[in-house]
């Protein structure tokens, strides 16, 4: 397997395989539902191809980034709305 | 002679028509409201929903101030989907010349008991941290509010219906006089009086009404709670709103209650095409980014356009049509339709019932003079 990369997820360090998307990294770390809807319900990635927008998380301080379309990068800081 | 079917037939179920319907039912008049589309589907749905006091002329101040007070009376009873939010306005000044304008506005409002606060450069930066550094200051008007207007229009009509008003959506009007409205199926409705409250379409139904559609663009972003706290407006906004013909943009942003940011504004005459125009949008957004550079980091979800009803002298038309007995006008509100809808309804019904109004009605009468000399005089009345 390829090398791994270090990211933080909600402030906690995590080691994830290189080359995966942020959404995959979150799933591997046990954090599938990353977003809260306007009414407070948890949401997670649905389409995996950048059109449903349910995979949005905050990456390096920028909110509403598409997790399924963003490759993980060493040192990336990922914040989600939930567990 | 048979009784007309209704005392008042109001054509147009936007914020102005809805407010008029409610005021008519409170005066015990039998009301029918007709709209070609849905309630609040025109400029009412397209604009920013501001309730703002303005000072470009005594007439504009009187109408916006009176109407804002009426909104404040309604505020506690408005349903939650009207999203009434007293976020206040923040007029921002880029240089000392604009700060002189801030000082002038402060004096004007204080003399008329409108609460205002002058902010210097540091204070304005602290009030809105996403504004670019180096602004000269600003004027905060804490009494200004925003709403979501289509729900307000629906609410006013619901209230009117509980008092016996009838509303027919998706009922286009072919023609109207002061006593009769003809529908597209050629059936007619008889009325004691007819009110043309069709906004940018007013001149299509009443020949000679000097109302022109004035196109505007808006953009809404994803949710960024706290990104802006006030309705932030550049001082050049009035130059744009009151420019006679040129296409113009002016910086204006508004926080929605869920954190989405509404970005405006633009003005164009001479087009009926509702398509979003990339060149105009680009100009508008560039202007906005001059004031709030961090806008470039936000995700925009949607852009759309709407048409304001613009008159030749910047005041709305509220009163009897000079050309047809029984026909009344409640239109021409340009960018202040939401704000002045309630005062418009009061002034209209005051005139229908021949009772005194809380403010002078002359500046808004349809038969007022609008020659250039009269305009020039009107504009200097506070300098």
């Amino acid at each position: 397997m390829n090398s791994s990369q270090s990211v933080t997820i909600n402030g906690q360090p995590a080691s994830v395989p290189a080359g995966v998307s942020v959404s995959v990294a979150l799933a591997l770390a046990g954090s599938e539902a990353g977003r809260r809807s306007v009414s407070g319900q948890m949401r997670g990635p649905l389409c995996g191809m950048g059109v449903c927008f349910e995979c949005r998380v905050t990456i390096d301080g920028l909110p509403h980034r598409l997790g399924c379309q963003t490759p993980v990068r060493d040192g990336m800081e990922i914040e989600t709305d939930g567990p | 002679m048979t009784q007309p079917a209704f005392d008042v037939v109001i054509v147009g179920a936007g914020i102005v028509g809805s407010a008029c319907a409610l005021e008519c039912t409170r005066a015990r008049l039998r009301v029918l409201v007709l709209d070609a589309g849905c309630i609040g589907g025109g400029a009412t749905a397209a604009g920013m929903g501001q309730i703002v006091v303005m000072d470009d002329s005594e007439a504009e101040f009187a109408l916006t101030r009176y109407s804002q007070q009426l909104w404040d009376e309604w505020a506690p009873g408005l349903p939650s989907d009207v999203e009434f939010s007293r976020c206040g306005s923040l007029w921002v000044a880029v240089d000392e010349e604009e700060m002189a304008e801030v000082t002038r506005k402060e004096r004007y409002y204080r003399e008329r008991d409108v609460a205002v606060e002058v902010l210097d450069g540091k204070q304005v930066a602290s009030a809105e941290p996403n504004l670019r550094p180096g602004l000269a200051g600003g004027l905060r008007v804490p009494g200004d509010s925003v709403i979501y207007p289509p729900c307000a229009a629906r609410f006013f009509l619901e209230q009117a219906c509980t008092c016996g008003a009838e509303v027919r959506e998706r009922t286009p009007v072919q023609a109207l006089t002061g006593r009769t409205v003809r529908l597209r199926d050629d059936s007619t409705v008889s009325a004691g009086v007819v009110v043309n409250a069709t906004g940018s379409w007013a001149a299509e139904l009443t020949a000679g009404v000097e109302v022109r559609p004035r196109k505007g663009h808006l953009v809404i972003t994803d949710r960024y709670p706290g990104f802006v706290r006030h309705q932030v407006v550049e001082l050049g906004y009035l130059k744009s709103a009151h420019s006679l013909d040129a296409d113009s943009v002016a910086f204006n942003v508004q926080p929605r209650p869920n954190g989405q940011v509404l970005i405006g504004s633009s003005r164009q005459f001479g087009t009926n095409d509702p398509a979003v125009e990339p060149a105009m949008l680009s100009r508008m957004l560039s202007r906005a980014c001059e004031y709030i550079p961090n806008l470039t980091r936000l995700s925009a979800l949607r852009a759309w356009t709407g048409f304001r009803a613009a008159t030749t002298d910047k005041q709305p038309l509220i009163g009897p049509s000079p050309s047809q007995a029984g026909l009344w006008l409640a239109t021409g509100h340009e960018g202040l339709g939401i704000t002045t809808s309630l005062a418009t309804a009061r002034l209209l019904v005051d005139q229908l019932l021949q009772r005194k109004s809380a403010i002078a009605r002359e500046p808004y009468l349809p038969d007022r003079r609008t020659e250039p000399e009269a305009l020039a005089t009107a504009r200097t009345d506070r300098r």
Side-chain angles (χ1 to χ4, degrees):
Chain A
M1 186 57 203
N2 307 341
S3 58
S4 61
Q5 294 184 318
S6 300
V7 299
T8 62
I9 297 176
N10 294 325
Q12 300 302 311
S15 186
V16 298
V20 300
S21 71
V22 167
S23 291
V24 166
L26 287 169
L28 289 171
S31 182
E32 273 203 27
R35 200 171 71 77
R36 263 189 207 287
S37 72
V38 175
S39 56
Q41 297 169 319
M42 291 311 299
R43 296 272 186 269
L46 175 68
C47 75
M49 57 185 189
V51 297
C52 77
F53 278 62
E54 298 290 8
C55 65
R56 282 175 284 155
V57 290
T58 298
I59 298 174
D60 293 335
L62 286 180
H64 300 302
R65 311 316 298 166
L66 297 182
C68 77
Q69 297 298 293
T70 309
V72 156
R73 198 189 37 73
D74 209 41
M76 188 179 263
E77 292 175 13
I78 303 164
E79 291 162 89
T80 72
D81 287 346
Chain B
M1 194 177 83
T2 53
Q3 275 266 60
F6 296 92
D7 296 320
V8 185
V9 173
I10 298 173
V11 184
I15 194 74
V16 171
S18 303
C20 288
L22 180 53
E23 199 65 39
C24 284
T25 59
R26 283 158 70 145
R28 306 255 192 281
L29 299 169
R30 286 170 304 138
V31 178
L32 170 66
V33 181
L34 301 170
D35 199 288
C38 64
I39 295 167
T44 297
M48 281 180 129
Q50 295 169 258
I51 299 169
V52 60
V53 62
M54 295 285 255
D55 66 329
D56 187 64
S57 65
E58 286 301 329
E60 186 172 79
F61 175 77
L63 194 65
T64 55
R65 178 62 170 156
Y66 175 38
S67 206
Q68 183 178 71
Q69 288 166 332
L70 295 173
W71 276 109
D72 287 345
E73 286 170 21
W74 271 108
L78 295 171
S80 60
D81 64 357
V82 176
E83 296 180 346
F84 182 95
S85 162
R86 199 186 304 282
C87 56
S89 296
L90 181 64
W91 295 84
V92 295
V94 300
D95 55 25
E96 286 315 304
E97 185 185 343
E98 291 194 349
M99 275 312 279
E101 175 65 9
V102 163
T103 307
R104 191 206 56 76
K105 283 169 91 79
E106 195 236 358
R107 190 171 60 243
Y108 185 92
Y109 285 135
R110 276 202 199 291
E111 284 168 3
R112 290 158 182 76
D113 288 324
V114 176
V116 288
E117 188 190 344
V118 172
L119 305 180
D120 64 23
K122 272 173 61 173
Q123 290 167 324
V124 88
S126 145
E128 288 292 355
N130 278 306
L131 282 168
R132 71 158 170 84
L135 293 172
L139 185 80
R140 170 153 50 197
V141 188
D144 287 350
S145 312
V146 306
I147 59 164
Y148 183 56
C151 291
R154 189 217 65 235
F155 171 68
F156 291 147
L157 284 179
E158 283 168 357
Q159 298 298 299
C161 288
T162 65
C163 297
E166 186 183 328
V167 179
R168 296 183 206 166
E169 297 175 272
R170 293 177 180 79
T171 306
V173 164
Q174 191 95 296
L176 56 84
T177 68
R179 310 291 184 205
T180 309
V181 174
R182 182 154 56 83
L183 306 180
R184 196 156 284 178
D185 63 1
D186 273 343
S187 67
T188 60
V189 180
S190 60
V193 298
V194 174
V195 180
N196 183 340
T198 57
S200 59
W201 295 277
E204 290 178 25
L205 283 172
T206 303
V209 163
E210 290 185 339
V211 165
R212 283 193 291 164
R214 200 164 193 198
K215 185 175 180 181
H217 287 71
L218 284 178
V219 166
I220 194 153
T221 72
D222 207 327
R223 289 174 278 143
Y224 299 91
F227 183 83
V228 287
R229 295 90 181 260
H230 307 77
Q231 174 99 36
V232 189
V233 194
E234 63 159 293
L235 275 166
Y237 179 85
L238 276 181
K239 264 200 295 277
S240 169
H242 293 300
S243 79
L244 283 176
D245 267 300
D247 293 354
S248 59
V249 299
F251 161 67
N252 192 349
V253 298
Q254 177 193 110
R256 300 301 309 144
N258 67 352
Q260 288 180 277
V261 181
L262 202 45
I263 308 171
S265 63
S266 79
R267 286 176 154 80
Q268 293 167 271
F269 280 121
T271 172
N272 280 327
D273 184 359
V276 169
E277 297 173 48
M280 206 66 210
L281 201 65
S282 175
R283 244 181 94 181
M284 182 180 90
L285 293 174
S286 297
R287 182 69 178 165
C289 291
E290 286 175 31
Y291 285 81
I292 301 189
N294 284 337
L295 283 175
T296 57
R297 309 177 96 204
L298 305 188
S299 181
L301 296 186
R302 198 160 72 91
W304 67 91
T305 68
F307 292 89
R308 307 170 182 86
T311 58
T312 53
D313 69 350
K314 297 143 191 144
Q315 297 308 320
L317 301 166
I318 310 170
S321 153
S323 56
Q324 287 189 62
L327 178 61
W328 293 71
L329 304 176
T331 182
H333 295 80
E334 220 267 352
L336 290 172
I338 309 306
T339 300
T340 62
S341 53
L342 296 180
T344 296
R346 282 281 170 97
L347 290 177
L348 183 81
V349 176
D350 288 344
Q351 293 178 67
L352 287 174
L353 301 182
Q354 296 177 327
R355 66 185 184 198
K356 265 191 64 96
S357 291
I359 62 171
R361 58 181 70 148
E362 285 72 26
Y364 328 107
L365 292 176
D367 65 359
R368 64 187 184 264
R369 294 175 59 216
T370 55
E371 292 88 17
E373 308 85 60
L375 274 183
T377 312
R379 291 203 53 144
T380 58
D381 68 0
R382 60 156 171 77
R383 293 206 189 275

